[in-house]
Amino acid sequence: MRAAAVRAGSLVGVVPVSGCRLSADLTAAYLDRLRLSAAEVSEPTLQSLCRLQAAHISLVAYENLDLHAGEGGAPLPPPRLDPVASAERVALRRRGGYCFVLVDAFAALLTSLGFVVSLHTAGVGESPLAAEKWGNHIVLLVHFGERRFVSDVGLGDGPLRPFELREHAWEEDGYAFRLEATGASTWHFTHHPLGSFRGFDFCLSSSAASVREFGEYHAFYWSHPDSPYRVSGPVLQRVTPERGVLTLRCCTLRRVHPGLPAGSTTIAVAASADEWLALVREHFCMPLIDSPPEQQTSLWLSAKTKHDAWLAQERGREAP
């Protein structure tokens, strides 16, 4: 993990990305995937950004299925970190991904719609962040003159709306968040206690020219046996407006929201491949049109194996 760390981008200071515009057809297909018309986001305004981010987070799942869809649950070849390839994955193949893939695609969409964006090295974890965790996440900053907003579609259960780069605390649909400056150019985002992670640090002393600069961490996530995406089994997350977060972890579909009595509730537990695939399609907007039957079978077997191991562990804890 330490060898994969990215403490700084290749560009000094805050430098907008360039050269990652999508074709008109791919941009239109992307907006269609987000169920937005071109007229709704015709100007690169904060209102348009709010619409785009909310639609993206609620319709494009945070998921790791390709890491478990190969023979015997092995990973498929990793997706290429390239703006057009990432956008095609989301828009045409109707898939999701984790932070690098989703931010790569969304940054390309935003620049194609006229927004000014920059990319910055970040790391999920407690602050101060351990050196080896820098570069395990990437932050997208959107610029509106002197005002700058973090627009993060790659967290799984993060805020639905962009948040301004200034120290403040806020609430969104019952979830409490906080942003604090931790240095001259470093910041820390604190998640709600029900979140799937504690928070993340990010640094604005440098910028990345593209998401490809995070390729070493992408490779670690995809192939290393200690990768959290490999260890966890198949996982999907999606933030739903006013309903909280839906998470399918192996076989168990749960809804998480601060308004629930225990903070979460189990919706379903898949007992067959058909049931599991139905949960993916119906709750995560993923028809799996790019996954042949043998890959879908591998996904189910991976989910079932991890789920059975978890059940056995739970029974062991309950035994006298």
Side-chain angles (χ1 to χ4, degrees), residues 133-172:
K133 292 190 175 182
W134 277 103
N136 72 16
H137 188 55
I138 181 171
V139 159
L140 187 156
L141 206 61
V142 185
H143 304 253
F144 298 100
E146 295 299 313
R147 300 179 72 190
R148 295 177 289 181
F149 288 78
V150 175
S151 182
D152 203 327
V153 298
L155 291 171
D157 63 351
L160 264 175
R161 293 183 285 276
F163 52 91
E164 191 166 7
L165 189 69
R166 59 180 176 85
E167 289 194 299
H168 65 300
W170 71 102
E171 188 173 300
E172 182 183 289

Side-chain angles (χ1 to χ4, degrees), residues 22-34 60 83-96 105 285-291:
L22 307 176
S23 69
D25 286 347
L26 184 52
T27 300
Y30 206 141
L31 290 178
D32 181 68
R33 171 80 158 94
L34 301 183
V60 181
V84 173
S86 297
E88 288 177 342
R89 176 183 173 92
V90 172
L92 305 182
R93 295 169 56 196
R94 309 187 75 79
R95 290 294 302 274
C285 310
M286 281 177 42
L288 295 178
I289 55 177
D290 64 338
S291 299

Side-chain angles (χ1 to χ4, degrees), residues 11-16 118-120 141 143 148 203-207:
L11 307 173
V12 177
V14 178
V15 182
S118 55
L119 301 171
H120 304 277
L141 206 61
H143 304 253
R148 295 177 289 181
C203 181
L204 303 184
S205 64
S206 67
S207 304

Side-chain angles (χ1 to χ4, degrees), residues 231-253:
V231 173
S232 66
V235 175
L236 301 97
Q237 284 184 305
R238 186 169 73 88
V239 180
T240 60
E242 300 179 356
R243 293 190 62 222
V245 179
L246 292 178
T247 300
L248 179 60
R249 189 172 299 278
C250 297
C251 294
T252 304
L253 177 66

Side-chain angles (χ1 to χ4, degrees), residues 204-220:
L204 303 184
S205 64
S206 67
S207 304
S210 76
V211 178
R212 283 189 290 273
E213 293 187 23
F214 297 80
E216 290 295 325
Y217 234 113
H218 180 50
F220 167 80

